[in-house]
Amino acid sequence: MKILQCLSGLLTGMAGSLLFMFIVLVVSGQLVDKNKLYDKDSKFYRFLLYYSTVILYVAARVKVEVRGEELIPKEGQFLLVTNHRSNFDPISCWMALRHRTNLVYISKPENFKIPFFGRIIRRCCFMPIDRQNPRNAKPTIDRAAEFIKSGKFSVGVYPEGTRSRTCKLLPFHSMVFRIAKQANVPILAAVLEDTEKVHKNFPLKGTHIKLTYIDLIPAEEVQAMKTNEISARVREKMLKALNETDSFDKNSAA
């Protein structure tokens, strides 16, 4: 009987926390200008971002196993480069790195239209990018580099440019590596596994996500390499870590 009472209390408390967070997100989101690009981080909205996603992962029974943490730069900002399988990729990364750096992501415009949450990430200085027109994307690349140089943020990008529906690594767009060259910072490469299973498993099963840091390219090496060389190195490391063969023509990477 006591076990049932404890379980009931736990579920009630969790439901109350989710309801409270939902109300706070709704009210706080309405205070964000949906047409503005923000330059300064907000401690309050950053707290909302972290706290709400921690609650989400606890409720969905998602665990993130992190490997290779010794590769994370001990100080300064960096460019984080990972593969892209689901909307849970950035969440897993900013949760894993939240005690080391505040991450901002370059993201597709549709993500900023997600009710309430889209405004929260906008206020945390996330940046939309035009994926169809490289010329229009350049200002976002420049903006990301300036963010890193300011010392306020590290930036997360997906060289694939979009989610891989098959979970196989897609061709890379080398332009994103210009951010690290312009900002003169290291590149931290990582791979994510099983993030695509979260929405399939919920609510019946939990999900075990693996985040593995696989390479750190120092700033000096970044400056000495061309973007296509950096792209080839990171891609090769990712393929090896994911135990994949490159089924795509490497020359198709932009």
Side-chain angles (χ1 to χ4, degrees), residues 41-90:
D41 201 15
S42 163
K43 290 183 179 180
F44 172 70
Y45 282 93
R46 182 65 61 168
F47 168 77
L48 283 184
L49 181 71
Y50 291 159
Y51 186 65
S52 61
T53 47
V54 166
I55 288 180
L56 172 65
Y57 269 33
V58 170
R61 289 174 294 154
V62 176
K63 293 184 179 179
V64 182
E65 177 187 353
V66 183
R67 302 172 181 172
E69 291 179 283
E70 66 277 3
L71 292 175
I72 302 173
K74 297 296 186 294
E75 57 184 23
Q77 309 306 323
F78 51 86
L79 181 70
L80 177 68
V81 181
T82 70
N83 59 323
H84 195 16
R85 295 185 170 191
S86 84
N87 288 332
F88 293 95
D89 296 333

Side-chain angles (χ1 to χ4, degrees), residues 23-144:
I23 294 172
V24 172
L25 286 175
V26 171
V27 174
S28 301
Q30 294 305 309
L31 302 177
V32 177
D33 186 342
K34 64 180 181 180
N35 298 311
K36 181 178 179 179
L37 291 177
Y38 289 86
D39 296 314
K40 295 182 179 180
D41 201 15
S42 163
K43 290 183 179 180
F44 172 70
Y45 282 93
R46 182 65 61 168
F47 168 77
L48 283 184
L49 181 71
Y50 291 159
Y51 186 65
S52 61
T53 47
V54 166
I55 288 180
L56 172 65
Y57 269 33
V58 170
R61 289 174 294 154
V62 176
K63 293 184 179 179
V64 182
E65 177 187 353
V66 183
R67 302 172 181 172
E69 291 179 283
E70 66 277 3
L71 292 175
I72 302 173
K74 297 296 186 294
E75 57 184 23
Q77 309 306 323
F78 51 86
L79 181 70
L80 177 68
V81 181
T82 70
N83 59 323
H84 195 16
R85 295 185 170 191
S86 84
N87 288 332
F88 293 95
D89 296 333
I91 297 176
S92 299
C93 290
W94 75 56
M95 284 181 59
L97 288 166
R98 67 186 185 278
H99 298 303
R100 166 62 183 84
T101 185
N102 284 332
L103 271 178
V104 298
Y105 269 89
I106 292 177
S107 186
K108 61 183 180 180
E110 292 83 352
N111 286 339
F112 295 87
K113 297 178 182 179
I114 298 174
F116 320 123
F117 194 72
R119 296 198 183 199
I120 301 300
I121 61 173
R122 179 179 291 276
R123 186 59 188 85
C124 289
C125 300
F126 284 40
M127 297 163 280
I129 190 170
D130 187 340
R131 297 183 298 177
Q132 307 303 321
N133 190 326
R135 182 176 297 178
N136 291 343
K138 187 179 183 304
T140 304
I141 298 296
D142 295 341
R143 185 182 183 84

Side-chain angles (χ1 to χ4, degrees), residues 178-194:
R178 293 180 190 172
I179 297 171
K181 290 181 74 68
Q182 290 180 215
N184 192 28
V185 293
I187 294 174
L188 178 62
V191 292
L192 285 150
E193 298 176 82
D194 297 328

Side-chain angles (χ1 to χ4, degrees), residues 196-227:
E196 75 283 355
K197 295 180 180 179
V198 176
H199 75 280
K200 299 176 183 177
N201 291 342
F202 182 79
L204 298 179
K205 295 195 301 182
T207 305
H208 185 90
I209 292 171
K210 293 188 281 286
L211 169 62
T212 308
Y213 301 107
I214 58 173
D215 194 16
L216 178 67
I217 309 178
E220 312 82 64
E221 291 187 36
V222 170
Q223 293 301 326
M225 299 170 70
K226 296 179 180 179
T227 53

